[in-house]
Amino acid sequence: PIDAPTAPQTFLVRLHRDAGLDVGMRFEAVAGRILIRGILNGPGTCLGRYNGAAPENHKIHAGDFIVAVDGKTDPQQMRQLMDSDDFEIRIARPIFAKVVVIRGDSPLGFHVKYSEHSKSVDISEVVAGSAADAAGIKSGDRIVAVNGKSGTASELLVELKQGDSIELTIARCAPPELLSIA
């Protein structure tokens, strides 16, 4: 299984948005968390200002997860709170794991969604009883490399079709019991 033995790095960030200032990120709800898809690091964004002054180990990156906003963990509430002028977000770094999926003559057993130039492929659904299910892959996981090769989503999809046994590098948000939300 892919489950992490230790808690991932999490940290709190207080953001203040001046009038007309954009938060500076693209995000979407994934498996009960908010996945940061992209960061605008210019000085005209909250995150640009924050990342410009933050130590390297506390900069926010695409691929990080927002697991709470002002202590709230519901994705809908988190999105609403990020519209306010002042808010505190808890960031969780993803957990990375390698897993081998042996499919034989069967399909891998998951459905994906992706943006062509993205650097990952998102697992949108795992078929119960499939090779992917047996390997511990979950809906919301992101494939960031296939057989040790990273690339665009299109390149990763080509690699997924190669061979009966495939090594996937998966990124996922830690389960709630490993996250310090308070």
Side-chain angles (χ1 to χ4, degrees):
I2 302 174
D3 293 329
T6 59
Q9 177 190 2
T10 66
F11 55 95
L12 287 172
V13 174
R14 171 134 317 266
L15 294 176
H16 174 76
R17 179 178 25 219
D18 294 331
L21 197 63
D22 189 86
V23 171
M25 71 175 136
R26 290 182 303 108
F27 53 85
E28 74 175 279
V30 174
R33 301 284 184 243
I34 293 180
L35 170 64
I36 299 173
R37 289 277 182 202
I39 299 284
L40 303 171
N41 272 322
T45 69
C46 292
L47 284 181
R49 288 181 182 179
Y50 170 79
N51 275 348
E56 194 59 40
N57 66 334
H58 280 98
K59 290 185 188 236
I60 300 171
H61 305 283
D64 287 344
F65 290 90
I66 299 172
V67 295
V69 178
D70 289 338
K72 305 290 185 197
T73 59
D74 174 70
Q76 188 65 21
Q77 288 179 319
M78 288 192 278
R79 286 179 183 209
Q80 291 170 352
L81 289 167
M82 283 191 290
D83 288 336
S84 62
D85 291 338
D86 276 299
F87 54 95
E88 183 176 74
I89 58 178
R90 178 163 294 279
I91 299 294
R93 299 283 193 226
I95 294 170
F96 293 92
K98 291 185 180 182
V99 61
V100 175
V101 180
I102 301 170
R103 70 166 154 217
D105 295 330
S106 303
L108 289 170
F110 55 76
H111 301 279
V112 300
K113 64 179 183 172
Y114 63 96
S115 171
E116 192 172 326
H117 300 291
S118 171
K119 296 288 187 184
S120 66
V121 173
D122 298 345
I123 305 293
S124 58
E125 181 183 350
V126 177
V127 177
S130 67
D133 186 31
I137 295 172
K138 297 179 182 178
S139 175
D141 284 348
R142 290 179 300 125
I143 300 170
V144 296
V146 179
N147 295 327
K149 298 176 188 172
S150 56
T152 65
S154 298
E155 293 166 337
L156 293 172
L157 289 170
V158 169
E159 286 295 319
L160 281 172
K161 297 176 183 175
Q162 308 300 318
D164 293 338
S165 176
I166 298 173
E167 181 187 79
L168 303 177
T169 303
I170 299 291
R172 79 164 42 145
C173 190
E177 61 271 14
L178 292 181
L179 295 170
S180 173
I181 302 296

